[in-house]
Amino acid sequence: MKLDFTNVNLDKIDSYENKALDAFDTLMNKSGEGNDFLGWIERPVDYDKEEFDRIKKAAKKINENSDVLVSIGIGGSYLGIKAVDVACDSYFNSKRKVKLIYAGNQISGQYLSELLDYLKDKDYSLNVISKSGTTTEPAIAFRFLKEALEEKYGKEEAKERIFATTDRQKGALKDLADAESYETFVVPDDIGGRFSVISAVGLLPLAAAGLDIDKFMEGFKEGMDEYTQKSFDNPAIKYAAVRNMLAEDGKDIEVLVNYEAKLKYIAEWWKQLYAESEGKDGKGIFPVSVNNTTDLHSVGQMIQEGKRNLFETVIEIDNQESDLTIKEDKDNLDGLNYLAGKTMSFVNKQAMEGTTIAHVKGNVPNIRIIMDKVDEKEIAKLFYFFEIGVGVSGYMLGVNPFNQPGVEEYKAQMFKLLGKPGY
């Protein structure tokens, strides 16, 4: 994976070097705010090998008795899983034995009703992911799905099809899992939700879907080896510094851009990571995303000629798994014969290059992240890059990158309206 800052004016970047390296020291020395949530840094090498083996065994069991695994979670218990799941699957011809379906990531009665109807003629299992067990969205979904599972299979067999990923020792879900003898996996105390895909939170559903979690962990290890080096040439540190430089120059919105639809949920995961980590104390670089070339025909106008308070980070994929070559047509009614002999990936890349030229000309700086390909290993390395980057960037901004106090406010107001005791 490479970073390209060609389309960013770096004349002032040297003045950010010491601040970025100091923030990196704060992160790696665990001396800053939120330092009790930094278990993800060493996790690629310091993880529970016994639990890792149990995850593989549970995944094998799910593959033997289920067509579907319903992953029940929200935020960090959902986005990282779906990002890897979607990016590594076929658009239309999935060869996976077990299909991952998601629940508990919103409060739509129609969605859950249709899911329950869909599951009636499927063999399925549940993986409920919640540290407390009382988070509203997954708790509601689990209540309905657990009842349906028990009606379908009976209480005893249902127990064998429910896997709880929760706190090691306490909480409503842990108590229920112990009482019902569900197999349990751990949401680590020292890893926040948006960083937790490297734990059982992500590993169990991904393994059940047939993804290679050994390769996934290998990618995190490669990321750890590369992005924990103290140097201003470290791409993660340089990325954090450039973001802060641009923000101080009035570019306080970052647009993550992809030209491959499979990466859509990578962007959704990234938005949570950066929004929850940086958006506090009246500070933060606002993260948004676009899927091109689709969105060039919608918000592209705003990016090109709207308010000049944004910059773009473009993810480029060097090698596609499959491609098509455009053929010549004798009538040429669509006027495309000038593209004859060219591949669609070549055309897509020229669209990306042309868009970059146009946007830079329109005063939108462009950072380029270049990935060799999309697989478990490369995605994990990208995740680790963004995680180190957000830790450094958050400390540079002067915030605690590892809490999210603002998330609690909407909950308090919602619970008050719903009449929850104590509110």
Side-chain angles (χ1 to χ4, degrees):
M1 197 176 82
K2 298 175 289 186
L3 253 71
D4 183 350
F5 296 106
T6 302
N7 293 301
V8 180
N9 184 342
L10 297 179
D11 287 349
K12 296 188 291 185
I13 194 61
D14 289 346
S15 64
Y16 290 80
E17 179 174 355
N18 289 337
K19 188 175 182 180
L21 292 175
D22 287 347
F24 178 77
D25 280 340
T26 300
L27 178 67
M28 298 307 295
N29 296 336
K30 302 183 179 180
S31 57
E33 288 186 295
N35 55 26
D36 48 344
F37 286 100
L38 297 179
W40 56 271
I41 294 177
E42 291 90 13
R43 188 76 178 192
V45 293
D46 183 18
Y47 60 94
D48 186 334
K49 310 302 189 294
E50 185 273 333
E51 184 183 55
F52 195 78
D53 287 340
R54 283 200 303 114
I55 286 169
K56 289 183 174 179
K57 289 175 182 174
K60 184 173 184 290
K61 179 179 178 181
I62 293 166
N63 264 261
E64 288 171 349
N65 68 11
S66 299
D67 307 308
V68 173
L69 174 66
V70 184
S71 179
I72 307 169
I74 195 168
S77 300
Y78 157 65
L79 287 167
I81 304 164
K82 187 155 188 178
V84 184
D85 172 26
V86 172
C88 291
D89 202 5
S90 164
Y91 281 115
F92 304 106
N93 298 309
S94 179
K95 296 180 174 61
R96 295 181 184 171
K97 165 68 172 63
V98 174
K99 179 180 178 66
L100 274 182
I101 290 182
Y102 301 89
N105 52 14
Q106 28 75 2
I107 312 174
S108 167
Q110 180 169 343
Y111 179 93
L112 193 54
S113 176
E114 290 185 17
L115 174 57
L116 289 166
D117 188 57
Y118 168 83
L119 291 171
K120 285 178 180 176
D121 61 351
K122 301 286 190 299
D123 281 317
Y124 66 99
S125 296
L126 307 178
N127 177 205
V128 54
I129 308 166
S130 175
K131 191 164 181 61
S132 66
T134 59
T135 303
T136 306
E137 295 90 341
I140 291 173
F142 183 51
R143 177 177 285 199
F144 279 100
L145 286 160
K146 174 176 174 288
E147 180 183 27
L149 192 76
E150 290 176 347
E151 286 179 2
K152 182 179 179 73
Y153 294 104
K155 196 169 180 65
E156 290 307 310
E157 185 178 345
K159 291 179 182 181
E160 298 298 314
R161 292 174 174 271
I162 297 175
F163 302 85
T165 306
T166 188
D167 191 90
R168 186 183 298 276
Q169 295 179 322
K170 63 183 186 299
L173 181 55
K174 174 61 176 170
D175 291 343
L176 175 64
D178 288 346
E180 300 287 351
S181 300
Y182 302 152
E183 184 166 7
T184 60
F185 299 91
V186 175
V187 178
D189 289 332
D190 59 352
I191 299 179
R194 55 191 178 273
F195 296 83
S196 67
V197 70
I198 194 175
S199 72
V201 168
L203 296 176
L204 176 58
L206 293 175
L211 282 88
D212 189 334
I213 60 173
D214 289 303
K215 280 180 64 177
F216 195 54
M217 294 300 289
E218 186 182 342
F220 276 110
K221 173 63 166 56
E222 285 192 8
M224 181 180 175
D225 290 343
E226 184 169 349
Y227 304 129
T228 58
Q229 302 301 313
K230 185 180 178 180
S231 166
F232 204 49
D233 291 326
N234 176 336
I237 297 175
K238 180 68 72 68
Y239 172 62
V242 170
R243 295 178 79 251
N244 277 262
M245 178 192 73
L246 291 169
E248 289 186 13
D249 196 35
K251 308 287 189 181
D252 56 2
I253 296 175
E254 180 174 12
V255 185
L256 191 68
V257 185
N258 74 73
Y259 284 80
E260 184 61 53
K262 283 187 176 187
L263 302 184
K264 175 180 179 179
Y265 283 93
I266 299 285
E268 295 302 313
W269 170 85
W270 170 86
K271 283 192 286 190
Q272 185 206 10
L273 180 69
Y274 277 75
E276 282 195 348
S277 297
E278 292 188 335
K280 56 203 73 165
D281 303 333
K283 301 175 183 178
I285 301 167
F286 194 87
V288 297
S289 63
V290 295
N291 305 293
N292 287 345
T293 58
T294 304
D295 288 338
L296 291 174
H297 297 262
S298 58
V299 296
Q301 172 65 36
M302 175 66 75
I303 295 171
Q304 184 68 49
E305 295 186 335
K307 191 174 180 181
R308 301 297 78 192
N309 61 341
L310 51 84
F311 67 97
E312 292 178 303
T313 297
V314 181
I315 300 179
E316 176 185 351
I317 309 301
D318 261 355
N319 298 301
Q320 300 287 356
E321 279 188 28
S322 57
D323 205 353
L324 291 170
T325 300
I326 300 168
K327 297 177 182 178
E328 187 165 354
D329 182 87
K330 64 181 180 62
D331 296 322
N332 195 31
L333 294 177
D334 53 15
L336 291 179
N337 275 355
Y338 75 100
L339 297 176
K342 296 179 173 64
T343 63
M344 286 191 67
S345 61
F346 175 82
V347 175
N348 199 28
K349 185 165 185 177
Q350 301 321 300
M352 178 184 66
E353 298 293 352
T355 302
T356 299
I357 293 168
H359 287 182
V360 171
K361 187 177 178 182
N363 194 22
V364 180
N366 265 244
I367 300 168
R368 186 77 60 87
I369 297 173
I370 305 162
M371 297 175 66
D372 177 52
K373 58 184 176 180
V374 177
D375 64 10
E376 297 95 326
K377 184 176 173 182
E378 295 302 311
I379 292 170
K381 190 172 180 181
L382 179 69
F383 278 4
Y384 199 88
F385 161 81
F386 278 134
E387 289 169 354
I388 291 291
V390 83
V392 175
S393 184
Y395 284 136
M396 289 183 74
L397 282 166
V399 301
N400 175 357
F402 305 107
N403 68 354
Q404 54 280 338
V407 173
E408 301 308 314
E409 179 60 25
Y410 95 84
K411 293 180 182 178
Q413 298 301 327
M414 177 181 70
F415 292 151
K416 189 183 298 184
L417 292 169
L418 290 170
K420 183 174 181 177
Y423 287 87

